[in-house]
Amino acid sequence: MKMTEDIYEMLVASPEEANKMAMLLLQSAHSQEEKDSINWARAFALVEMKEFSDALEIWQEIFDRTHDHKALHQIGYVHRSAGNLPMAANVFNQEYALIAQTDKQSLAVNLYEQTYCHILLGYQRKALEMFALYENLKMGEFDLIERGCFFRLKGDLFKSTDKNVAKEAYEQSVQFFTQAKDEEAANEVLQRLSSLN
């Protein structure tokens, strides 16, 4: 939807303006699908603005109505963004149970978040367990961003226990992000790499 794309573009420059644009577009939305699409984009703006309870309200309403695991995933994302890590880990765990085992892309995104939350919580054993499930999905090399995220996560997971594994993972992450032309992500991983030494 063109109007939703406009909100996402505006979001990069100004979450406040993206939120205003979404509010205006909602007034002329005709279908529930249009409303959900606009609200979905608006909720990202609200997270950027640290209006976490409003963002939660949007995705909770969509989830209650649709039972779409992707809306539940966004609820976990809001909790993680707000620093409510135990709740985020719990929500991502609930989402995992709703994902079809054939939907490898959704499983990968979920297991990334579960691993990341447990790293942030300092639960290394649980993080390793979730990461092993992610690794076992054997995702292809075609999704450069996903691979960049995977190896960045692997670096984060091993940076305190095995610097060599972490270094190699971060280097692979940089390669994938560079191939994907995501300079910001590549530079962020390069910083992690330099802080290993």
Side-chain angles (χ1 to χ4, degrees):
M1 288 183 193
K2 175 75 176 79
M3 53 191 174
T4 311
E5 285 170 24
D6 292 344
I7 301 170
Y8 286 115
E9 278 179 31
M10 178 67 76
L11 185 53
V12 179
S14 167
E16 290 77 13
E17 289 304 314
N19 182 43
K20 282 181 197 166
M21 183 192 286
M23 296 289 280
L24 276 173
L25 288 169
L26 278 170
Q27 291 170 19
S28 56
H30 299 298
S31 66
Q32 188 62 57
E33 186 188 0
E34 270 184 72
K35 285 180 189 167
D36 285 355
S37 181
I38 295 164
N39 265 325
W40 199 283
R42 179 177 175 238
F44 277 111
L46 290 167
V47 170
E48 288 297 313
M49 293 159 61
K50 302 203 179 327
E51 303 280 349
F52 299 118
S53 61
D54 290 346
L56 267 181
E57 207 173 286
I58 288 172
W59 277 313
Q60 187 69 56
E61 189 278 326
I62 294 173
F63 177 69
D64 290 345
R65 183 166 31 82
T66 64
H67 302 290
D68 181 352
H69 76 82
K70 290 179 179 172
L72 189 59
H73 185 89
Q74 297 310 131
I75 291 168
Y77 158 72
V78 177
H79 283 299
R80 175 170 66 72
S81 301
N84 193 354
L85 296 172
M87 179 61 91
N90 185 32
V91 171
F92 290 130
N93 185 42
Q94 287 173 43
E95 185 211 4
Y96 184 76
L98 299 179
I99 302 171
Q101 290 302 298
T102 50
D103 185 354
K104 283 175 69 169
Q105 190 66 42
S106 291
L107 289 170
V109 173
N110 175 276
L111 290 166
Y112 175 95
E113 287 289 359
Q114 288 209 61
T115 304
Y116 189 52
C117 280
H118 286 110
I119 290 171
L120 294 175
L121 284 162
Y123 301 156
Q124 185 74 1
R125 203 179 70 189
K126 189 69 178 169
L128 285 165
E129 188 186 311
M130 294 297 109
F131 186 75
L133 291 174
Y134 185 3
E135 206 163 22
N136 287 341
L137 291 174
K138 300 192 177 356
M139 301 297 284
E141 306 254 312
F142 62 91
D143 187 339
L144 300 173
I145 295 292
E146 183 278 324
R147 289 289 83 191
C149 291
F150 172 85
F151 285 107
R152 179 181 62 198
L153 185 67
K154 186 173 183 178
D156 289 349
L157 185 58
F158 287 99
K159 69 182 178 188
S160 56
T161 56
D162 192 329
K163 282 194 167 39
N164 289 333
V165 170
K167 182 175 182 287
E168 198 176 303
Y170 283 146
E171 284 167 354
Q172 284 179 282
S173 177
V174 170
Q175 282 175 5
F176 280 112
F177 283 136
T178 303
Q179 269 183 278
K181 297 182 171 46
D182 188 335
E183 282 180 42
E184 195 179 328
N187 288 333
E188 186 197 337
V189 180
L190 282 169
Q191 285 179 344
R192 296 182 195 202
L193 197 52
S194 65
S195 69
L196 270 181
N197 306 322

